[in-house]
Every structure is written in structure tokens, then in C-alpha cells.
Amino acid sequence: MKTTDTPGQVPPRRRRRPRSATPATAEIRLSGDATVGGVAIGPAMLVLESPAPDIDASARTDDPDHELARLAEAIERSVRQIERLRDRLAILPEDGQIEIGSLLEVYRRMLGPSRLQRGIHDRIVRDGRTAELAVREETESLAQALLHDGAQFGGEDAAAAQRRAGEFREIGQRLMRNLGRAPFRSFSAVPAGTVLVAEQLRPADAALIDPSRIVAVATEEGGSTDHTAIMLRALGIPTVLAAHGLTARARDGATMVVDGTTGQVVIDPDEETLAVARRGVADHARERQALGRLRRLPARLSSGEKLQLQANLELPAELPLIAQSGASGIGLLRTEFLFMNAEAMPDEDRQAAIYAEIIGTMAGDTTTIRVVDWGGEKHSEALERAGLNQEGDTINPALGMRGLRLLLRHPAVLETQFAAILKASVAGPVRVMLPMVTIVPELREAREIYHRVARRLRRKGVPLGDSLPPLGIMVETPAAAIMGDALAQEAEFLAIGTNDLTMYTLAVDRASAEVASLYHPLHPAVLRLIQAATEAALRQYRPISLCGEIAGDPRVVPLLIGLGLRSFSMTASAVPRVKKTVRALSFEDCRRLAHRVMEASDVAEVMDLIDDFATGT
Ligand code: PEP
Ligand code: MG
């Protein structure tokens, strides 16, 4: 028997009332928003949030200082949680990063010296409220005021007010949970192959999902355009959101079919439904296989020139994605993951083991390991304890102590990392990359440390190859791009980081939503610097690649090829798409495109030329 539970969304033929004693095997069909395409079958795991602790509305305190101290601690914990979520954003494509990053930024600001905080504070001190009650009353009062104003204007304003009210409530919930030490949902113990079922997933939850363990997501609430949906799309997990009635009917361990293309969720599917779903899974797999065949084809232009398409890696969990993508190596291994959620520094041997495992998995393809690029707004207790904080540089962290500067100030961290990479280098081909190099002396100083560490290891009898892994630099500042010739004489390879290069060239903070509309990696100023650095490297016969986000955009890569680049490193999921595009291109066409683009004086013109090229007009 099939029972359907979403009036008006499925054919009436199937609409039947569930019987009071529904047999355990009865199939239940629900419809929701088709959010991320693909079909998956698996056992359900309900991750329902435990209710927040009860709050006594009549409770009063005669010790406001104690309540203020509890509040301060809860705020601190909340900020740390949000920082950790922000640290995970790097695994998302740029759109997702911007979207979720700005939301997390809003949360961060609310937790800073804000109207919300002042209101909570007043309620504790003036009205004798407990911290929990003050948080609940203040967030609710701000949310209600917004909803009231929004309702008066209607339309877009009402929708914006609803979102903003939701943000206040979300922060209120987080603070109340932290005050009551109520646990947050954890997805860490999810067995592989699970279908995740929840009332609602917040972006913060979605950031914790491991795509190698969760085959599908189905929720009771949410919409296909909200922040969570964007994150799930970025993770590529078949998803149906807003399947009403889901959590009341799904049971832990029940077999579920989730079809993210049609928006159907089936609990306890019967044989017929399972057979159809299995075909859906097989079709999906075949499609992926077709892409897989493309992955095995060489990355060559139609005119014969060979390209190198590599992957950026932020977390070891992405290694299987890299293998599937057909990337020929790792062009940028961001090692920040080692330090992010750690309370203590990973020691030399621990780091060496992690690097060796990654290098070994790459089976002969090169792994480019970038030493930790710390600074900006990232947070790591381990690095702070090791002294790598920004030492009061709070106004302009991007221009302060970050990247290589910070490491040279604290060479012990750099030495440990160099030693670990050198030890791991016997596991396969490796390159070592320095972040945020601005001037030649920084490179020289780092190189001296690198050689000193290698000598020390050799003296201790640690086996290293005859020649050390090449030591190269990221070109992420205008100074480095302009001084490309001088740097290329001393660096063994270069990699252009357009994410930061754009920020520093256009003076636009890459993490700020307020100036996001001014952040243009294809601005002619940035393109000229890319061209200058590329030509400088080629003049010195040094390998040069590009590993900023634009390397994964098939519309942009033809221009970059025309500027002389042959090597790109990108988010793994972009490799097949980029390969498909480049295999249809001739070098001469790319060169002509670059020639035209380099005459453009504004970004709109550049975009038009690129779009015309992509659409063949
Ligand atoms: C860049 O800046 O382009 C880059 C690749 O480094 P990250 O994004 O890690 O700063
Ligand atoms: Mg960078």
C-alpha cells in the first residue's frame, strides 16, 4: 500500500489516508522541494535536535554579575563555534562561500558589541532577568519588531525582515543552548550510506556534513533557495527539503528513497518503488561514469597543447573527490585544516604522517603543499598558543601579520612544517609553497630555513631524496606580480592566487558582503598582473600555475590560456567541466580572445567578451 501525505503535490490517485494501524512495511510517499538532483537509497538516520532547556519566565536573579559572566562565556563559545563553521567554508565553491560566509559574518557581528548584546545586558542588570530569559526576551523582541515593520511594507521588505528575524532567533537559540550546555547536533558518528532526516538543517549544520558518508538529505522544513540548500548543492548530495510530515513518519533505520530531481521521498519503499529507484541510482552512476571517461581523457587543446588540471584540497575528506575528478595532482594543499579545530599544534611526526598519506594517495601525481597561511580572521587555538596571533593587528588583518610574514616571525612553526613535509617527501613527488610572499627577502629567509631544516634532518639520518622538493611561491599581492622577474629567479615555481590578488589589487575585502559587488577577479587591473606574473615566470623558465577560484570557471580558462598559462588548480568538482571546455579550444582562439580582452578598460567589457566567446557569438 502507498500512502501519500502532501496534499496537492502528488497525483490524486495516490492520495489515501494512512490507516490507523499502518503496517511497518507500508510505503509512505512524501513530496518536497527538489533541491539537489540525483537518487539515493539508504537507511534513515533521524537527527532531531534535542529540545532547548526549559526557561522559567518568572525566574529572577539577585546576582547580575554572575549572569553577565555566564552570558560572556556563552557568547565566547558561540563565537568559537561560528569561527569553526567559517573555517569549513573553504570546501565550498565560491558562490557558496560568499553566501554562507556573509551569513556567518552577520552572526558574528550580532555576537559582538551590538544592539542585541546591549539589550540582553540591560535586561539582566536593569530587570534582574537570568541570562537565558534575557536572551530569549531580547531576541524575540527584536525579531517581532522586525516582522512588524516588514509586514507594514510587504513584498521584498517583508521577506528581508523575515530572514533577519530568523537570524536573531538563530543566534538566540545558540546562546540559550550554550548557556544551558545543551548539546548541538553532531553528524560525526554517521555510518557511511546514511540518509539524513531532520526537521530542518541550518547552514551551520550543513557545514558539518561529510559527503562521503551521507548519501542523501531529506528535511521537513526549509526551501530550495535558502542558505542550507546552497551548501548542500555545493556538496552535491541528493536533497529534498520541505517534505511535510517527514519526521513524524520516518524511523531510524527505515529504508528511504530520496529523489532530489523530482522531490519525492519514500519511506519503506515497496519492491516496485525500490526497483525504479535502483534504476535511478544506476542512471545517475552511468552519467557519472560518462563524466569519468572524460576524466580519463587528456587535458589537451584541440590544437594539441597539453594542459595541467590539478585540484585544490582543503580537507583530507576531499581526497576521493580528487581521485574521481581526474585531476593530475594537487596544485594547492591548504594546510590550515591541520590547525583549525586543534587545541594543540600537531607535532612534526603527526603532520608528516598526514602529508605522507595524502602524497601516497596521489599515486605518483605531484602534491603541492602550502605551508600554513594564517592570519586574516581565521581562528586557531593551537596557533594562538604557539604565538601566531595577530598581535593587536585588528583593524586591517589582511594587511597585517598573515601568511609568510607571520611564519617568519614565528619560525618554529615553519620549521616544524618544513621538517614534516621533507620527511613525508619520500612518499611521492611533492612541492612546497609559500603563501603571501610580497618581497624577495621573505623568500630568501624562508629558503634559508628550509635548507637548514633539511641539513638538520640529514644529520639525524632521516632519509631524504638527493634533491629537495622544489620551493615555490604564491603570487597573491600586486608587489609579487610586478616583481615577478626577481621572484622567479629565486622561486622554483610560482602559483597565482587570484582570490587574494584581486583583494589587494582592487582594495576590496574578499570576505566582506558590503563590498562584494566590487570584487572582480576579471578586472583589467587584475588581468594585467596575471599577465605580468605569467610572462615573468615564462621568461625565467619557471613553472607557473593559477590556483584561485577563477581557475575552475570554464568561461574564464580560455582567457587564462590565451595569457600564457598552461596549469590550473581548482576545486575538484570543476575539473571535468573545465576539461570538457578546453578539449574543444584551439590555442589560437584563446590567444585572440586574450588579445581583445587585454584592450578592455572595464570589467563589464571583459565579461561581455568572455561570454561572447563562450557562446560562440
Ligand atoms: C588565493 O588567494 O587565490 C588562494 C588560492 O589562496 P587562498 O584562497 O587560500 O587565500
Ligand atoms: Mg590566498
Side-chain angles (χ1 to χ4, degrees), residues 230-254:
I230 291 165
M231 293 198 71
L232 293 166
R233 222 170 268 130
L235 296 172
I237 301 172
T239 299
V240 175
L241 298 182
H244 304 296
L246 174 70
T247 48
R249 289 179 157 68
R251 308 175 320 278
D252 267 332

Side-chain angles (χ1 to χ4, degrees), residues 334 370 373 402 435-436 474 476 497-501 510:
R334 293 178 165 108
R370 183 177 74 182
D373 180 14
R402 69 163 284 195
M436 272 294 294
M474 293 218 45
E476 306 183 272
T498 43
N499 305 340
D500 278 314
L501 186 60
R510 66 191 261 195

Side-chain angles (χ1 to χ4, degrees), residues 191-275:
T194 296
V195 171
L196 197 70
V197 175
E199 306 107 323
Q200 186 178 26
L201 280 185
R202 294 190 285 266
D205 297 321
L208 294 173
I209 283 178
D210 176 351
S212 66
R213 310 190 78 77
I214 291 173
V215 292
V217 171
T219 69
E220 175 98 27
E221 291 165 31
S224 59
T225 56
D226 68 15
H227 294 300
T228 303
I230 291 165
M231 293 198 71
L232 293 166
R233 222 170 268 130
L235 296 172
I237 301 172
T239 299
V240 175
L241 298 182
H244 304 296
L246 174 70
T247 48
R249 289 179 157 68
R251 308 175 320 278
D252 267 332
T255 302
M256 306 250 313
V257 172
V258 176
D259 186 336
T261 311
T262 63
Q264 293 276 309
V265 176
V266 188
I267 306 165
D268 295 325
D270 62 23
E271 270 314 312
E272 189 191 326
T273 304
L274 266 179

